[in-house]
Amino acid sequence: MNEQKNFSGGLGALPLAVLRQTRDAIEVLPETGLSVLGMSHRSSWFRAVLDEAEQNLRTLLGIPRHYHVLFMQGGSSLQFSMLPMNFLRGTKQRAEYIVSGYWSAKAPPEARHEGQVGIVWDGYDGGYTRLPHAGELPLSRNAAYLHYVSNETVEGLEFTDVPGLPDVPLVCDMSSNLLAGPVDVERYALIYAHAQKNLGPSGVTVVILRDDFARRARGSLPTMLKFGRRARRSLPTMLDYRTHIDSRSLYNTPPVFAIYVLMLVTRWLRDEIGGVAAMAETNGAKARAVYGALDAYPGFYRVHAARPNRSTMNVAFRLPDAVTEALFLDAAKRDGFHGLEGHRSIGGLRASLYNAVTPEAAASLAQWLTGFAQRYG
Ligand SMILES: *Cc1c(COP(=O)(O)O)cnc(C)c1O
């Protein structure tokens, strides 16, 4: 099946077992006798799906009880705006951002609509080929929050250490590596990740939000006492995190289908893979196989990321020239390898090795890369 050799950066591949269950559920759900596409979001069936999705995420990631788990819409791009609307607007603090690639560069302009923004590190001049180390970040102790992207999907850069200061709320966009391995959730005030790279189909975004941070949101009582009238002007209902906390992600019609498939993916990860630590081991082996094949031909393949910052999820690389890259993509497609073109912003090539990409698929890509280099290198 082609799906087995889907290396697309997004939407990402989904596990074959999940695709099969989804196919059946579109026709008829055994539990209800109806199609998943026609199920009411107010049904007890869907309440159970939401509860299991949340519970599985809590178990897989060890999310403590003082964190909320929300299922939202608008993708990660809406989080770029909601975050500063809720936590920067009306304050005199500044929000700090690490700009380490295409996606993290999209967040600060949204925050500038809401208040003061500080860029504590910017990798643009270096072509986003490496990540900062802790000593390079001039962080301030009274920032409203620090925002970063744990895995730069386009450039293939992944943080191994968690940046930040203990007292500053840490916010992370984990859209392309949530559930790829363990996360120390308690280091974070807010984590968000849309589903379509590693968690499920597009249409739903997971937000993991610490309760005491949520209480600090604008419009909340402590913010009003501290910052007065300006902070009291309320947010649009849909853009206020507390709406989704209070309604347990059922304020309006949620993306039932996407949440259902996400729930199946979490179940697969729990039962078939055995959790995120096991997943991380497999992902590490997949990445070693593919980088190994590229590193064996250093004059031919050139990996975008500096070695210590290489992502296990997205392997971005180049060939000596555009003609060979076009030849590469054609040959790959002919042999059944899909989604290997680089992001439109930087071009080149990219192999994404999300959770659902099997070790066999990664091994067969590695072998194919070797063959291509032997032929054209
Ligand atoms: C793909 C991606 C996004 C964009 O998400 P949308 O859901 O399309 O808004 C944001 N952040 C990261 C890290 C991504 O990989």
Side-chain angles (χ1 to χ4, degrees), residues 9 74-78 80 103-104 149-154 173-176 192 194-197 205 354:
S76 293
S77 298
L78 185 60
F80 295 162
W103 285 116
S104 54
V149 172
S150 54
N151 182 70
E152 289 286 1
T153 322
V154 171
D173 174 357
M174 298 195 187
S175 293
S176 52
Y192 62 92
H194 63 197
Q196 67 264 27
K197 280 161 194 149
T205 300
Y354 297 130

Side-chain angles (χ1 to χ4, degrees), residues 301-333:
Y301 293 122
R302 192 163 44 81
V303 174
H304 181 83
R307 209 171 266 264
N309 306 133
R310 286 177 170 186
S311 165
T312 51
M313 294 279 100
N314 309 97
V315 181
F317 60 102
R318 303 216 68 127
L319 285 169
D321 55 73
V323 176
T324 318
E325 285 177 352
L327 188 76
F328 176 99
L329 288 172
D330 274 351
K333 191 159 267 173

